[in-house]
Amino acid sequence: MTVDIVIGLQYGDEGKGKVVLDKVKNKEYDLVVRFNGGPNAGHTVYNNNKEIVVHGLPIGLIYGIKSLIGPCCVIDLDKLEKEIKYLEEKGIKNVRENLLISNNTHIIKREHIEEDNKREDVGNGIGSTRSGIGPVYRDKHARIGMRYEEVKEKKYKMVDAMKTIEGNDKILFEGAQGMGLDIDWGDYPYVTSSNCGISSVINSGLDFNRIENVIGVAKIYETYVGNKVFQPECNRELEEISEKGNEIGSTTGRKRQCNWLDTEKLVRYIKMNSITELIINKCDIIEQVGIYRTIDLKFETFEELRTYISVIINTKCKTIKNIRWSYSSNKI
Ligand code: IMP
Ligand code: MG
């Protein structure tokens, strides 16, 4: 019996997709569960050297694994159908057969997207992905939303998430966005409208005693897409990171703002989610740029930076068993 969880510890785009893909490749999971968010996400993965970008669908589908969209997620049925066709065109088999949707997952309606767009157009927005996320979660909590169970012509299999989770032995929970965008613990109001961490996993109907590994994903520098000012102005080094790291949003094509690693926040988010394994991505980019620093400290070498981060995390975060440093966009 295994329950593994992948959680983003910054502002999304930490490389969760790569980690999930690595996990499903190497381990036999019976079920993959998307536990928060909707088509605002953009997970870029490489399968047999082919680039595949998924938004609303769980990555498990790419490897032919039964995959559930859980009750803390929201779905856009038009986009979902387009994405299924996209995966089918890429030669991926059994996408429809393997997709399960929880009866209590909420539906993004056209009016949600129109409202989101309008707010952004008139300049009252926070720089959303214009997917209708804010309005659909508002309607859910105002108890006027629409759940999948109310959809008249259901194209995809509807299930009870709790029963589905209970009935499977080896499960991977796949997160979207990251803790810096969490509705309660992120930089409000510059956040998304779901909880991006372990609370949504448990709220998907899981007996939390089953949880084995909680994998936290971060980058060695940070990026954020949206309307708050995040990147310090006229910083040539951060510009270089942005270019070398190809920091462009996979859902909206917007440039991601870059900044140095905030270790204090990272520690906080690790603690809140009982992270057992930490993956730090994009170390290759920092080595290429040759600037070794966090938000408040500078180092002479990459090794010194790495040691500093390791010591802080290992001394402050009791649940951490392992830290892995990744130097490649297609493997850990
Ligand atoms: P929303 O989720 O579309 O409402 O957007 C709210 C904020 O979260 C905006 O700043 C978005 O750019 C950001 N955001 C939402 N989803 C993602 C993601 O998957 N990666 C990175 N940023 C995201
Ligand atoms: Mg992304």
Side-chain angles (χ1 to χ4, degrees), residues 12-14 16 40-44 250-251 256:
D13 309 315
E14 302 93 348
K16 296 181 293 297
N40 49 345
H43 293 161
T44 308
S250 53
T251 299
R256 298 171 184 150

Side-chain angles (χ1 to χ4, degrees), residues 178-229:
M179 289 303 297
L181 294 171
D182 184 278
I183 181 75
D184 293 309
W185 295 100
D187 300 337
Y188 194 89
Y190 297 98
V191 293
T192 189
S193 299
S194 64
N195 288 110
C196 307
I198 197 135
S199 65
S200 287
V201 175
I202 294 163
N203 213 22
S204 300
L206 172 74
D207 166 1
F208 67 79
N209 288 301
R210 290 182 63 190
I211 297 173
E212 210 163 295
N213 304 303
V214 191
I215 301 138
V217 189
K219 286 194 284 213
I220 196 150
Y221 57 88
E222 299 191 356
T223 61
Y224 158 82
V225 203
N227 285 355
K228 76 175 171 186
V229 178

Side-chain angles (χ1 to χ4, degrees), residues 88-188:
E88 286 172 343
E89 276 159 22
K90 294 254 174 194
I92 293 158
K93 303 224 161 59
N94 302 327
V95 181
R96 284 170 205 280
E97 293 80 349
N98 284 329
L99 176 64
L100 312 173
I101 298 177
S102 186
N103 63 298
N104 48 357
T105 304
H106 276 252
I107 306 292
I108 301 174
K109 296 182 189 165
R110 188 162 302 149
E111 65 217 52
H112 293 137
I113 300 170
E114 282 166 6
E115 186 185 334
D116 198 1
N117 265 321
K118 202 166 163 193
R119 205 182 290 168
E120 293 296 330
D121 285 340
V122 300
N124 286 337
I126 51 115
S128 80
T129 63
R130 296 173 178 251
S131 321
I133 300 296
V136 70
Y137 278 106
R138 176 205 53 211
D139 283 0
K140 166 179 169 168
H141 287 274
R143 301 167 301 201
I144 55 171
M146 180 188 186
R147 295 166 150 200
Y148 189 54
E149 64 195 357
E150 287 172 67
V151 173
K152 290 216 172 67
E153 283 167 34
K154 290 182 193 66
K155 279 190 175 173
Y156 321 107
K157 194 174 176 197
M158 182 174 84
V159 296
D160 176 306
M162 190 263 173
K163 280 190 195 147
T164 301
I165 290 168
E166 192 177 41
N168 283 280
D169 240 18
K170 297 178 192 151
I171 309 178
L172 180 71
F173 282 85
E174 171 194 340
Q177 290 86 46
M179 289 303 297
L181 294 171
D182 184 278
I183 181 75
D184 293 309
W185 295 100
D187 300 337
Y188 194 89

Side-chain angles (χ1 to χ4, degrees), residues 268-286:
R268 219 170 125 75
Y269 291 150
I270 288 173
K271 285 182 177 174
M272 286 178 52
N273 289 285
S274 299
I275 301 293
T276 57
E277 180 173 13
L278 175 65
I279 293 168
I280 301 189
N281 278 321
K282 295 237 170 168
C283 297
D284 50 327
I285 305 301
I286 284 290

Side-chain angles (χ1 to χ4, degrees), residues 263 294 296-297 299 303-312:
T263 46
T294 64
D296 43 24
L297 286 173
F299 300 89
E303 210 39 52
E304 282 178 35
L305 171 64
R306 199 175 129 145
T307 306
Y308 170 74
I309 297 169
S310 302
V311 169
I312 286 210

